[in-house]
Amino acid sequence: MTGALLVVGDVVTDIVARHRTPLSAGTDTSAEIRTLPGGAGANVACWAAHRGGTEVRLLGCVGADSAAWHERELTAAGVRPLLVVDPEARTGTVIALVDGGASAERTFLTDSGASLRLSSDDWSASLLDGVGRLHLSGYLFFAARTRTLVAAALASARARGVPVSVDPASAGFLKELGVERFLALADGVDLLLPSEDEARLLTGVPDPEDAAARLSRRFPEVVVKRGGRGALVGRGGAVRDRVPAVSAVRARDSTGAGDAFTGALLAALLTGASSADAAAEGCRAGAWAVARVGARPPSRTES
């Protein structure tokens, strides 16, 4: 597979608060707070560009309040931004509450803002010119307006023979939407990239290997992201590869680790890697991501 990677998804502003003690209701909790660029779609694009080997483009929607900043940050990361600027909505914002302990687990408060204002009106089949893979952020599936774009993009990709991947993105939002509805909307997707929790939710089975196998009967390929337990690659109703995690990483912030995995994996696939090798690259990127604060890799000026 050759050509560029086109990512369609959310671009948001992350406010990351790392607290080392439990949150104290009704009073103060000391925290280290940073404002950083984020958004699952944008993060995937940046990690794919960081891995290198292919051109990476991003279609997303932002508000005029921070459009210039987000465009600069994406460009600095090596991504070609194709940003729709909404004059009425503000850029989406996510507050990430990150446990400063060993797990670095995070909890999100999400205001999707302009990121859910994309629609089929913002799509053109010409966006696939020179594209070897299309990736859709799962957040696009959770609002009526963005679902029109999903349908248009999938139809264009099928017509051109461009493989499509989807990351379900949020177990919480999946529950709200409904599993069967999500699976119907994702019909025709070539590669599904759920987390372990999302895979369990989508299948109703507790064992992640069983979940990966079951999902691979519905999608040509499934890669289940398991965080510190690596990844599972499923095809044809069975788990074909069990990819180990990268060990001995000091976790600081798990925000964006799954996006890092996805971005590196997709870039590797575009440059000819096998699914198992691409998943291994995803595990390495995910490990690097949790060792950093924020959801993006270092920009080219940093590295």
Side-chain angles (χ1 to χ4, degrees), residues 124-211:
S124 167
S126 63
L127 287 165
L128 293 176
D129 290 349
V131 168
R133 275 189 173 272
L134 170 65
H135 178 72
L136 302 176
S137 169
Y139 286 105
L140 298 169
F141 289 72
F142 303 136
R145 183 165 175 158
T146 47
R147 283 195 290 270
T148 66
L149 183 144
V150 168
L154 283 172
S156 296
R158 288 190 196 105
R160 292 197 179 202
V162 175
V164 182
S165 55
V166 169
D167 183 334
S170 167
F173 287 162
L174 267 178
K175 288 179 185 176
E176 290 181 23
L177 178 67
V179 165
E180 289 306 319
R181 192 174 184 195
F182 175 84
L183 291 171
L185 290 166
D187 186 50
V189 164
D190 302 273
L191 171 61
L192 191 71
L193 293 153
S195 69
E196 189 170 281
D197 287 344
E198 291 155 4
R200 290 191 182 108
L201 178 61
L202 287 169
T203 59
V205 299
D207 182 80
E209 295 214 8
D210 289 345

Side-chain angles (χ1 to χ4, degrees), residues 47-275:
W47 282 100
H50 187 265
R51 189 272 180 189
T54 187
E55 178 191 355
V56 182
R57 309 169 190 172
L58 173 70
L59 174 64
C61 186
V62 294
D65 55 307
S66 59
W69 177 59
H70 278 291
E71 184 161 348
R72 285 195 305 271
E73 291 292 328
L74 289 165
T75 301
V79 175
R80 179 182 167 193
L82 307 170
L83 297 183
V84 176
V85 180
D86 192 295
E88 299 176 356
R90 294 179 63 82
T91 300
T93 301
V94 171
I95 297 176
L97 304 176
V98 181
D99 182 348
S103 68
E105 192 52 71
R106 76 282 189 275
T107 300
F108 293 148
L109 300 174
T110 301
D111 176 355
S112 298
S115 64
L116 293 185
R117 305 272 290 184
L118 281 176
S119 74
S120 55
D121 292 340
D122 301 306
W123 178 261
S124 167
S126 63
L127 287 165
L128 293 176
D129 290 349
V131 168
R133 275 189 173 272
L134 170 65
H135 178 72
L136 302 176
S137 169
Y139 286 105
L140 298 169
F141 289 72
F142 303 136
R145 183 165 175 158
T146 47
R147 283 195 290 270
T148 66
L149 183 144
V150 168
L154 283 172
S156 296
R158 288 190 196 105
R160 292 197 179 202
V162 175
V164 182
S165 55
V166 169
D167 183 334
S170 167
F173 287 162
L174 267 178
K175 288 179 185 176
E176 290 181 23
L177 178 67
V179 165
E180 289 306 319
R181 192 174 184 195
F182 175 84
L183 291 171
L185 290 166
D187 186 50
V189 164
D190 302 273
L191 171 61
L192 191 71
L193 293 153
S195 69
E196 189 170 281
D197 287 344
E198 291 155 4
R200 290 191 182 108
L201 178 61
L202 287 169
T203 59
V205 299
D207 182 80
E209 295 214 8
D210 289 345
R214 185 169 299 194
L215 285 169
S216 72
R217 298 184 194 117
R218 185 155 193 161
F219 299 94
E221 190 157 47
V222 173
V223 178
V224 175
K225 297 175 283 187
R226 306 189 67 203
R229 292 175 294 279
L232 302 170
V233 180
R235 282 188 306 277
V239 172
R240 306 296 178 180
D241 298 289
R242 296 167 180 84
V243 181
V246 174
S247 58
V249 174
R250 178 178 174 269
R252 299 183 66 204
D253 177 9
S254 59
T255 307
D259 302 332
F261 180 102
T262 295
L265 176 141
L266 294 175
L269 290 176
L270 271 168
T271 53
S274 68
S275 297

Side-chain angles (χ1 to χ4, degrees), residues 24 87 260 291:
S24 301

